[in-house]
Amino acid sequence: MTQTTTAQTHSFQTEVKQLLQLMIHSLYSNKEVFLRELISNGSDACDRLRFAALMDASLMEDGASLGLKISFNKNENTVTITDTGIGMTTDEVIENIGTIARSGTRQFLDALSGDAANDANLIGQFGVGFYSAFLVAEKVELTTRHASQPADGGVRWVSDGEGEYTIETVAREERGTSITLHLRDADKEFAEDFRLRGIISRYSDHISLPIEMPSQEKEKKGEWEAVNSGSALWSRPKNEVSEDEYHRFYQSLSYDTEAPLVTLHNRVEGNLEYTSLFFIPQKAPFDLWDREQRHGINLYVRRIFIMDDAKYLMPSYLRFVRGVVDAADLPLNVSREFLQNNKDIDRIRSASVKKILSELSRLAAKEPESYANFWNEFGKVLKEGIVEDHDNRTVLADLMRFNSTRSEEAEQTESLADYFKRMPIKQKAIYYITADSHNAASTSPHLEIFRKNGIEVFLLSDPVDEWLVSSLGEYKDKPLKSVAKGALDLEDLATPEDRKANEAKEKDLAELTEKMESLLGKHVKSVRVSQRLTDSPACLVADETDLGGNLERILQAMGQSAPDAKPIMEINPDHPLIRQLSPEHSQLEDWTRVLFDQAALSEGAPLPEPAAYVQRVNDLLTKATLTGN
Ligand code: ADP
Ligand code: MG
């Protein structure tokens, strides 16, 4: 019995309306991508049904085999795309393509550049593919029945893309989805056999399900024929795949308009057989830093799609890698839990990581410019590898690039190996400073003595750098040492005469530093004479075993509690401001507090009492003016 409700009218959410307006009125070029998007959705729906049927075979009961059919009607100006996939329930229709803006919608709108050709290509990237139907259609009719629903449990959805849609319950014989596009007059060209076939072979040839169209041969009238070659590209021998084919396959995975920076196609034989095809993009995707983002590896078993977003195949620090792994010996009904604890998967993953890292090493050595581009896009992510991946730390360390005092620019171009080569033999450590910006790092007073002695210091200002240096610890047996922590190794920095002179100054100023220490009280661990400063009067130093100011601030910003370790204040014995101070100075307290606050400011630390600081500075300035000093 067919039970049909009357159609109900719903309204799209504002963001969806904006998106539709844009599809209809602004994106003129590259309209053909609508077909790629609808085919991709149909193919996904078939993959999902196959996967669901592994648990519940009854879902496939009505027998229709998985695939897509594309037909057109020239007289009525329509194109229809039908799939025998899982279909949608009423709620799913409303949620997936109806009222509610999907998470990518806003980001898509924000990412638009105004260049219509480029913008049309972004559609798939942001998960708003369905709406691309409105690039060519003035009305879209969708009928669908979820595989779990009875024959009268279908849904019909109709919209002209102008803000509203209707939805009603209908009968639908076959499970799956049909989408009929009523083409605009200007877009009639798409109701044309050769046009549709051309688009399919361009964008969807590799889809492994049959995509069929009505045969145009007279004697085969009424028959359907496959129009895609459907061979899984990765299963073909490397030397038979052209660069252009790789490129288009990559595009179908990533929706990236540019060619990939790196293509790695590999077949592994032996007791664990698999094929992998990996791509590294030229540009970071918009969701590189989104924790919820989907990972880029699709898992197949003997060419049958198992799942995308296969997290266990690639560590998170290589989340920008796109591609396919096709394993010969896994069961077809693998679950995510199975993958998590599977030895074969672990082996595939570890071999894949090694392959990718060795390709990056090759790039760094042979094509430094390409590597520099790669680093600009993905360096911050790759740095996480030092923390996450103990096994590959040595290789990863050589892939790292940092900024150093050697260059004026903020670009990260210096490697540990080059630093190592440049450093004087007697230098005991590899020096670095961390701060929350390149500017704060490069202007830090801690660098003064290093600059004076011509010793290179890495300037680190990515948040991950703090974890990187503490995980790495050393490079080729030289410890990585913060210039802002602990005592300096004076053998690297001072002549024996300098050291003698310093000891004398320490003695002379012992009373002053003690007095200052008691004036600062709970704010410092101690006050001492500095070996680091040449130009600034004072600086703050972390004790050897403390976290350091920058890391404490990062942790606090992340909402984590950081032990509130007190810094050590160091004063520059040769600075005129310090030289005019003595334990008996009438304004010693004001001076001490101002020096302390300034040292904190130059580290990029916020002052707890900015008003008190300003007041003190003004008092001291007024006094200096009045006395003519
Ligand atoms: P995406 O494919 O990136 O998720 P789309 O806008 O193309 O974004 O599709 C939105 C959602 O609508 C899909 O995720 C899917 O849940 C649903 N959908 C679209 N087309 C179909 C279809 N032919 N069969 C089943 N579900 C579909
Ligand atoms: Mg889609």
Side-chain angles (χ1 to χ4, degrees):
M1 195 190 78
T2 305
Q3 178 194 346
T4 334
T5 57
T6 42
Q8 289 184 325
T9 303
H10 298 250
S11 177
F12 292 113
Q13 261 183 2
T14 318
E15 284 177 356
V16 178
K17 278 186 202 162
Q18 286 173 353
L19 184 68
L20 289 169
Q21 283 303 306
L22 198 98
M23 295 283 184
I24 296 167
H25 301 293
S26 309
L27 298 178
Y28 292 113
S29 50
N30 244 355
K31 288 183 169 191
E32 61 191 34
V33 300
F34 81 89
L35 192 57
R36 170 188 75 189
E37 294 304 326
L38 299 179
I39 288 177
S40 141
N41 286 350
S43 162
D44 287 352
C46 291
D47 286 337
R48 274 186 284 140
L49 175 58
R50 176 156 42 205
F51 196 64
L54 293 170
M55 306 294 158
D56 178 1
S58 71
L59 291 174
M60 285 263 229
E61 232 157 40
D62 60 12
S65 59
L66 296 173
L68 285 94
K69 286 193 161 75
I70 313 229
S71 59
F72 58 95
N73 183 325
K74 254 179 138 145
N75 299 327
E76 288 172 16
N77 267 339
T78 59
V79 175
T80 300
I81 297 111
T82 301
D83 67 69
T84 50
I86 195 157
M88 283 179 273
T89 62
T90 308
D91 287 349
E92 283 170 341
V93 171
I94 294 176
E95 205 167 299
N96 295 332
I97 61 181
T99 333
I100 298 158
R102 291 155 58 80
S103 62
T105 311
R106 182 77 256 159
Q107 282 157 315
F108 174 74
L109 291 170
D110 290 343
L112 292 172
S113 63
D115 167 5
N118 186 48
D119 290 343
N121 253 305
L122 291 174
I123 290 168
Q125 228 176 78
F126 291 85
V128 292
F130 175 78
Y131 301 117
S132 69
F134 291 101
L135 287 171
V136 296
E138 58 190 9
K139 183 167 106 178
V140 175
E141 273 182 85
L142 171 145
T143 337
T144 182
R145 176 166 68 78
H146 193 272
S148 65
Q149 300 297 308
D152 59 1
V155 189
R156 197 173 109 90
W157 177 100
V158 184
S159 177
D160 60 6
E162 294 288 354
E164 290 178 342
Y165 63 90
T166 61
I167 198 163
E168 66 193 299
T169 306
V170 294
R172 182 179 160 85
E173 202 49 45
E174 287 211 320
R175 62 148 202 268
T177 306
S178 293
I179 298 167
T180 297
L181 311 179
H182 296 264
L183 299 172
R184 271 190 225 105
D185 261 354
D187 298 307
K188 272 189 198 151
E189 54 172 290
F190 293 106
E192 195 77 65
D193 186 64
F194 77 93
R195 187 77 170 98
L196 292 169
R197 285 178 192 241
I199 304 173
I200 294 168
S201 79
R202 181 167 163 68
Y203 293 107
S204 310
D205 196 48
H206 68 278
I207 298 265
S208 52
L209 297 161
I211 303 174
E212 295 175 316
M213 286 187 63
S215 174
Q216 296 298 302
E217 290 172 47
K218 279 213 181 75
E219 51 277 22
K220 291 192 184 166
K221 214 161 171 49
E223 286 179 38
W224 293 86
E225 64 190 14
V227 293
N228 60 327
S229 65
S231 84
L233 180 98
W234 61 87
S235 63
R236 288 161 48 193
K238 238 196 234 195
N239 53 11
E240 287 173 21
V241 185
S242 71
E243 201 168 318
D244 197 44
E245 286 175 298
Y246 278 129
H247 183 172
R248 269 185 288 160
F249 180 67
Y250 165 70
Q251 260 194 334
S252 73
L253 287 176
S254 66
Y255 298 104
D256 190 350
T257 47
E258 282 175 77
L261 180 68
V262 168
T263 302
L264 276 178
H265 189 181
N266 240 76
R267 178 185 214 98
V268 177
E269 281 165 2
N271 50 14
L272 178 65
E273 259 176 58
Y274 66 93
T275 302
S276 60
L277 173 54
F278 297 130
F279 301 98
I280 298 177
Q282 301 207 33
K283 288 257 152 49
F286 78 101
D287 57 355
L288 188 62
W289 298 101
D290 182 351
R291 279 169 189 278
E292 303 293 295
Q293 76 138 343
R294 297 162 85 72
H295 285 231
I297 307 298
N298 296 349
L299 176 64
Y300 288 73
V301 172
R302 294 181 296 278
R303 297 199 214 170
I304 294 184
F305 176 86
I306 303 298
M307 66 179 75
D308 58 5
D309 192 21
K311 290 197 177 66
Y312 307 110
L313 287 170
M314 207 48 75
S316 135
Y317 75 90
L318 293 178
R319 59 183 174 269
F320 50 82
V321 177
R322 310 274 112 167
V324 167
V325 167
D326 190 335
D329 306 314
L330 293 179
L332 280 177
N333 58 343
V334 295
S335 63
R336 291 186 191 274
E337 292 66 42
F338 173 91
L339 290 181
Q340 202 168 1
N341 311 303
N342 182 272
K343 281 214 179 64
D344 288 344
I345 288 288
D346 285 348
R347 283 167 60 199
I348 294 175
R349 166 183 159 123
S350 128
S352 301
V353 169
K354 291 211 155 61
K355 251 269 86 75
I356 289 163
L357 295 183
S358 86
E359 174 60 17
L360 288 174
S361 305
R362 192 198 62 77
L363 203 66
K366 299 274 155 50
E367 298 172 42
E369 263 178 44
S370 299
Y371 191 74
N373 284 341
F374 163 80
W375 186 263
N376 283 339
E377 295 293 318
F378 300 111
K380 284 197 185 97
V381 183
L382 200 68
K383 279 176 172 179
E384 295 170 10
I386 295 278
V387 184
E388 275 174 34
D389 188 350
H390 210 280
D391 293 347
N392 294 300
R393 199 169 276 172
T394 319
V395 183
L396 279 163
D398 277 319
L399 288 171
M400 296 296 121
R401 294 293 179 272
F402 306 107
N403 183 250
S404 91
T405 46
R406 201 168 158 259
S407 99
E408 297 291 316
E409 317 293 323
E411 243 104 282
Q412 302 182 352
T413 52
E414 308 300 333
S415 68
L416 284 160
D418 287 341
Y419 181 107
F420 192 85
K421 259 185 244 157
R422 284 193 290 264
M423 70 193 248
I425 299 169
K426 65 162 194 155
Q427 191 178 322
K428 293 218 182 86
I430 292 172
Y431 291 106
Y432 68 86
I433 182 165
T434 55
D436 69 353
S437 69
H438 174 258
N439 189 47
S442 72
T443 56
S444 165
H446 295 113
L447 296 175
E448 289 169 6
I449 184 80
F450 292 86
R451 285 221 152 97
K452 187 176 152 209
N453 285 280
I455 291 182
E456 185 175 1
V457 179
F458 283 126
L459 305 174
L460 309 182
S461 54
D462 289 336
V464 63
D465 287 334
E466 287 279 2
W467 282 274
L468 188 158
V469 286
S470 65
S471 312
L472 192 57
E474 57 176 39
Y475 177 78
K476 295 195 174 153
D477 294 334
K478 296 276 182 192
L480 299 181
K481 190 163 175 5
S482 165
V483 300
K485 260 192 207 177
L488 292 182
D489 187 339
L490 291 177
E491 277 178 47
D492 278 356
L493 296 164
T495 61
E497 296 77 62
D498 286 345
R499 272 179 270 161
K500 254 217 182 100
N502 261 325
E503 277 165 30
K505 285 174 197 160
E506 269 170 21
K507 240 191 215 146
D508 284 352
L509 295 177
E511 233 183 296
L512 178 65
T513 49
E514 222 170 277
K515 187 83 192 280
M516 289 172 104
E517 197 172 306
S518 74
L519 287 170
L520 286 170
K522 65 177 170 45
H523 296 292
V524 293
K525 220 171 224 173
S526 67
V527 176
R528 69 187 182 205
V529 170
S530 184
Q531 329 278 6
R532 310 169 204 255
L533 299 173
T534 62
D535 304 326
S536 305
C539 69
L540 299 182
V541 179
D543 219 353
E544 196 79 58
T545 53
D546 288 342
L547 296 180
N550 188 53
L551 182 52
E552 276 177 22
R553 285 188 290 280
I554 291 175
L555 289 172
Q556 279 156 7
M558 286 165 52
Q560 297 192 15
S561 66
D564 196 9
K566 299 180 183 76
I568 296 162
M569 179 158 98
E570 291 192 353
I571 55 170
N572 177 356
D574 301 320
H575 197 282
L577 281 182
I578 302 295
R579 285 221 307 262
Q580 56 100 26
L581 293 177
S582 67
E584 296 77 34
H585 193 292
S586 63
Q587 276 183 298
L588 186 62
E589 176 161 15
D590 280 345
W591 276 111
T592 306
R593 289 301 302 259
V594 165
L595 288 168
F596 177 79
D597 285 352
Q598 284 186 345
L601 279 175
S602 73
E603 274 210 332
L607 290 186
E609 297 169 15
Y613 167 74
V614 171
Q615 173 84 54
R616 276 196 197 95
V617 170
N618 287 344
D619 283 354
L620 294 173
L621 288 175
T622 311
K623 181 111 187 296
T625 320
L626 291 178
T627 57
N629 282 329

